[in-house]
Amino acid sequence: MLPIYICEDDATILAAQRKFLEKQIMIEGYDMQIALCSRHPQEIIEAVAASPKRGIYFLDVELKDEPMDGFMLGQQIRKFDARGFLIYVTSFPDLAFETFRYHLEALDYIVKSNSEKMLAGMYKNLAVITERMCKEQGRQKEYFTVKVLDIIKHVPVDEIMFFETSARTHRIELHAKNDCIDFIGSMQELQEQFREQFLRVHRSYLVNVNKIQELDLKHREILMDNGEKCLFSKNMKGELLSRI
């Protein structure tokens, strides 16, 4: 699990950053956690030194009334975490070149004068870090992106059990390992998108064949890995048996 550290001298911005990151970690299921949020760089250094491991660092550049700025803090962090992700957040975009002068290999540079853009930048960086970690571990995970009201969710495809048509028009229910999500969609479009891994076993069900635990041929029921059941049509029996 990647620890996240935030160093920001403005208490209001610090609170907003923490709240946003905690929400995104929960929604996206990122393998991350907030380790420390502080207005004081020395506290960040002490925490990293006490538990030196690869982490994510959102650092304010200008730390008022402190003996060091964000770039100097980055240098200290690099003594304990040479491969961590440094992301600088500041009100002054023209300071970006400083990351190169300090040889910090920063992942990104976010301007915080616009709160909406600042949070969008943080969101982008979490996605970039997750993708990079997956590639480094030799597994590029595939995600299905779905919008639920004002929230965008990224569900790992290998955690989806099946899609089911809802009783409501143009609505689909996504049944995942530990979740069920209702969204606007088309079963036909999903069938085209997931042609390789999913099978339309019934007019109401599009099933992940890799997640089938057993078939009940008598009752034409499919038991999925998470314990849920769905139906399959009589004419799909042969194809199902050939795919599992």
Side-chain angles (χ1 to χ4, degrees), residues 131-141:
E131 182 179 359
R132 185 173 296 184
M133 292 295 292
C134 286
K135 287 181 178 179
E136 288 181 8
Q137 294 165 16
R139 53 177 183 87
Q140 189 164 2
K141 211 166 190 178

Side-chain angles (χ1 to χ4, degrees), residues 85-192:
F85 300 98
L86 298 180
I87 300 145
Y88 282 99
V89 187
T90 182
S91 301
F92 305 98
D94 57 341
L95 292 177
F97 75 93
E98 290 292 300
T99 56
F100 300 100
R101 189 166 71 85
Y102 281 85
H103 306 289
L104 290 170
E105 297 182 20
L107 177 66
D108 201 3
Y109 197 90
I110 301 171
V111 178
K112 65 180 178 181
S113 53
N114 181 301
S115 177
E116 186 175 327
K117 289 184 178 179
M118 178 188 71
L119 298 181
M122 297 177 76
Y123 175 86
K124 181 196 73 174
N125 277 285
L126 294 184
V128 167
I129 290 169
T130 299
E131 182 179 359
R132 185 173 296 184
M133 292 295 292
C134 286
K135 287 181 178 179
E136 288 181 8
Q137 294 165 16
R139 53 177 183 87
Q140 189 164 2
K141 211 166 190 178
E142 183 182 359
Y143 291 86
F144 174 68
T145 302
V146 59
K147 183 177 181 182
V148 182
L149 298 177
D150 293 326
I151 296 175
I152 302 294
K153 290 191 174 186
H154 302 288
V155 184
V157 172
D158 61 9
E159 292 185 9
I160 299 174
M161 300 293 130
F162 60 90
F163 294 96
E164 178 183 7
T165 55
S166 172
R168 295 188 292 166
T169 306
H170 304 306
R171 306 292 300 192
I172 302 290
E173 290 182 4
L174 183 159
H175 294 255
K177 182 180 179 180
N178 298 304
D179 201 3
C180 184
I181 303 169
D182 181 276
F183 65 99
I184 297 174
S186 161
M187 190 66 87
Q188 184 63 40
E189 291 178 2
L190 291 170
Q191 186 177 353
E192 289 295 323

Side-chain angles (χ1 to χ4, degrees), residues 206-223:
L206 180 65
V207 171
N208 185 341
V209 294
N210 295 331
K211 299 299 177 181
I212 294 175
Q213 189 173 113
E214 64 180 49
L215 295 179
D216 182 340
L217 300 179
K218 181 179 179 180
H219 298 98
R220 296 207 301 272
E221 285 186 341
I222 302 172
L223 177 65

